[in-house]
Amino acid sequence: MRYSALSLAWNALTGHRRWTPAWRDAAPRAAYDVVIVGGGGHGLATAYYLAKEHGITSVAVLEKSWLGSGNAGRNTTIIRSNYLLPGNIPFYELSMKLWEGLEQELNYNVMVSQRGVLNLHHSDVQRDAFARRGNAMRLNGVDAELLDRDDVRALVPYLDFDNARFPIHGGLLQRRGGTARHDAVVWGYARAADMRGVDIVQGCEVTGIRVSSSGVTGVETTRGAIRAGKVALAVAGHSSRVAAMAGLRLPIESHVMQAFVSEGIKPLIDHVVTFGAGHFYISQSDKGGLVFGGDIDGYNSYAQRGNLPTVEDVCEGGMALMPMIGRLRVLRSWGGVVDMSMDGSPIIDRTPVEGLYLNTGWCYGGFKATPASGWCLAHLIARDEPHAAAGAYQRQVHLGTSNRKAALESYTC
Ligand SMILES: Cc1cc2nc3c(=O)[nH]c(=O)nc-3n(C[C@H](O)[C@H](O)[C@H](O)COP(=O)(O)OP(=O)(O)OC[C@H]3O[C@@H](n4cnc5c(N)ncnc54)[C@H](O)[C@@H]3O)c2cc1C
C-alpha cells in the first residue's frame, strides 16, 4: 500500500479499517542469498538497497528483538556531514544527499528536519580548527559557515553569553544538518525493503555462524538454522560478540551512551547546538521536549542503561551553556550500547571469512550514516568491491591493523 494524501482521505472516510501492516511478519526460510544480522537502521537500509539497487531480493534481516530496539531507536537523531578528513567527507555527504530525498524514496515520513547544526567554539585555537574544518567542507562542496560571537548571539540568544565560565566566541554552522525521527527511519526502510521481497524476521537471535573451508555457509538462530551465500553483520554494540562466532576478534569496544529528554516546553531551540568546551549537545523535539546527551559512560558494558556520574556530567554541560535549563525536569533517560572503534571511524569491509561482511565501529555517530552505510554495504555485498565513498573504511580485521585513510575526528554525535 502506497501512502498518499488520497489514501489518507480514503481511509479516513472508511473508518481507518483498511490500512494494511507496514511490513509482513515473515517466518525464516531455510535459505537465502544474503542474510543480514541486525534489524537496526544499517541492516534494514542494506537490505533495501540490495533489493532496490542490485536486484538481490532473496534477503533476510534477522533481529533478535524488535526492529529499532537497539541504537537506531535510542539515538538523539542528529544528522550532519560536517567532517574534516578526506576519507569521511564523501561518505557523510553521500548520506546527507540520501537523507534529503529519503521521504520520497521510501514513501514514508521520516521527518527529516534540516534545522541546522551549530558547533560552538570557546577559544581562538578552537576557532582555527573550525575554520579549517569549514574550509575543507566547502572545498568538497559541503555547506559551512563560520560565525562570530554576534552572529551566534543573533541565532541562539538564549545561551549564556555574558557570565559564562567558557565564553562563546563563535561557531561553525551547517544549515543542511539537523534531525530525522529515528524510529520512523527504521520503519520506513523496513516497509520499503519488505515491499521489494525482503524477509524481516523479528525475535530471531543469531547464536552461531556456520563456516566451512570455502567460507560462510549460514547462521544458527533461535528459530533454526538458515543457509546463506553471504552473511553481513550490522549489530552495532554487539559486533564483537557476534563476530566472535566466526572466530574474528574486532578492534571494537562496547560502551553505554545515554540520552535524555525533558518535559515539553514551547518552541525554544530551533537548531541542534553543541557545546565546545565539554560534552553536551541539545535540540528540541516536535513534541516540545529538549533532547540532549553528552559523553559515553567510561566503562565497557552491554546494558542498555547508564550510571549517574555521566548524568551529572551531561547536566553540568547543559548548565554551563544555558543555565535556565536547570529549571526543567528530565522526563526520561535511556542508554544504548555503542560500538566504539579505537580511532573513531567505522568499518565497512569484507572479513577473512569468504562471504562474511562487517559493518561496525560507528561510535556515537552512526545514525546520520544510516543511508550511506546501507548504500555502501549493499554495494560491497553485491559486487565484492568497496563503494568509492566508503573506500577509507576498509580494514584488515584479522590482522588488527588499519589501512584506512580516515582517522580520529569524532566529537559529540
Ligand atoms: C544515546 C545515543 C545517542 C546517539 N545519538 C546519535 C546522533 O544524534 N546522531 C548519530 O548520527 N548517531 C547517534 N548515535 C549512534 C547511532 O544510534 C548508532 O551508531 C547507529 O544507530 C548504529 O547502527 P544501527 O542503527 O544499525 O544499530 P542498532 O539499532 O543498534 O542495530 C543493531 C541491531 O542488532 C541486533 N542484534 C544484536 N545482536 C544480535 C544477534 N545475535 N542476532 C540478531 N540480532 C542482533 C540488536 O538487537 C539491534 O537491533 C547515538 C547512539 C546512542 C546510544
Side-chain angles (χ1 to χ4, degrees):
M1 171 185 263
R2 278 193 69 78
Y3 296 152
S4 65
L6 202 63
S7 74
L8 188 62
W10 167 248
N11 279 286
L13 289 173
T14 54
H16 291 292
R17 284 188 298 272
R18 290 167 196 264
W19 293 112
T20 53
W23 60 84
R24 292 166 297 129
D25 187 15
R29 297 204 311 254
Y32 293 91
D33 290 346
V34 180
V35 160
I36 296 168
V37 188
H42 292 228
L44 291 163
T46 304
Y48 171 70
Y49 292 121
L50 270 175
K52 161 92 189 309
E53 299 299 322
H54 305 281
I56 300 173
T57 55
S58 172
V59 178
V61 178
L62 309 181
E63 167 54 46
K64 69 173 179 173
S65 186
W66 69 90
L67 295 190
S69 56
N71 297 341
R74 292 165 182 270
N75 61 65
T76 40
T77 78
I78 300 167
I79 61 175
R80 58 182 172 83
S81 60
N82 55 357
Y83 282 74
L84 167 71
L85 296 177
N88 286 330
I89 291 180
F91 176 82
Y92 286 99
E93 184 55 15
L94 168 65
S95 214
M96 184 56 79
K97 292 212 166 81
L98 291 169
W99 282 115
E100 286 172 334
L102 200 61
E103 280 145 352
Q104 288 73 22
E105 172 78 24
L106 301 181
N107 179 229
Y108 202 89
N109 183 8
V110 299
M111 295 168 69
V112 172
S113 164
Q114 292 183 288
R115 60 185 66 183
V117 172
L118 174 65
N119 302 132
L120 299 171
H121 63 75
H122 307 262
S123 68
D124 291 350
V125 173
Q126 213 173 12
R127 181 204 55 217
D128 293 350
F130 279 16
R132 185 172 170 232
R133 177 185 297 269
N135 285 335
M137 289 164 64
R138 291 175 76 130
L139 280 170
N140 284 279
V142 182
D143 67 305
E145 291 167 48
L146 194 65
L147 307 184
D148 65 19
R149 181 186 149 94
D150 290 342
D151 297 333
V152 172
R153 192 170 198 149
L155 202 65
V156 286
Y158 49 82
L159 300 182
D160 186 1
F161 286 90
D162 300 320
N163 198 24
R165 180 172 173 204
F166 302 102
I168 296 165
H169 287 201
L172 183 67
L173 176 67
Q174 185 186 22
R175 290 191 192 270
R176 286 165 62 240
T179 59
R181 180 161 172 200
H182 49 191
D183 36 20
V185 173
V186 171
W187 301 330
Y189 272 119
R191 175 172 167 274
D194 173 87
M195 282 166 77
R196 290 180 176 271
V198 171
D199 279 356
I200 293 163
V201 189
Q202 299 181 73
C204 182
E205 179 169 359
V206 169
T207 52
I209 298 175
R210 292 186 166 183
V211 178
S212 75
S213 55
S214 56
V216 79
T217 59
V219 292
E220 288 158 22
T221 80
T222 47
R223 295 176 70 175
I226 301 173
R227 294 193 307 281
K230 295 183 173 182
V231 174
L233 309 182
V235 290
H238 293 269
S239 296
S240 295
R241 294 216 304 206
V242 179
M245 295 174 192
L248 301 177
R249 185 155 185 262
L250 302 186
I252 299 289
E253 287 190 8
S254 296
H255 278 258
V256 181
M257 184 169 173
Q258 303 189 59
F260 310 84
V261 65
S262 77
E263 58 191 322
I265 55 171
K266 287 181 181 172
L268 168 71
I269 301 181
D270 295 332
H271 311 86
V272 176
V273 181
T274 75
F275 184 36
H279 271 125
F280 177 80
Y281 57 91
I282 190 162
S283 65
Q284 187 166 15
S285 78
D286 290 351
K287 280 197 286 187
L290 302 190
V291 181
F292 56 97
D295 210 353
I296 55 174
D297 282 41
Y299 52 88
N300 301 128
S301 173
Y302 286 101
Q304 287 179 314
R305 62 176 189 276
N307 274 329
L308 290 173
T310 302
V311 178
E312 188 179 20
D313 185 61
V314 172
C315 292
E316 271 176 9
M319 291 292 290
L321 190 62
M322 40 193 300
M324 48 54 165
I325 200 178
R327 293 166 58 198
L328 277 177
R329 279 168 293 203
V330 172
L331 203 60
R332 287 182 288 123
S333 71
W334 60 90
V337 186
V338 289
D339 35 329
M340 302 300 293
S341 63
M342 295 303 105
D343 60 4
S345 285
I347 301 168
I348 302 176
D349 202 0
R350 289 167 286 218
T351 71
V353 179
E354 187 65 31
L356 182 64
Y357 301 83
L358 188 61
N359 170 312
T360 189
W362 296 99
C363 301
Y364 23 61
F367 176 63
K368 70 184 71 64
T370 303
S373 168
W375 183 278
C376 294
L377 181 58
H379 183 282
L380 181 67
I381 294 169
R383 301 192 185 179
D384 258 316
E385 59 188 41
H387 188 279
Y393 301 153
Q394 305 279 298
R395 188 194 303 236
Q396 291 155 351
V397 168
H398 54 306
L399 298 176
T401 58
S402 166
N403 62 357
R404 301 173 313 148
K405 295 179 193 70
L408 181 65
E409 68 158 313
S410 55
Y411 48 106
T412 46
C413 285

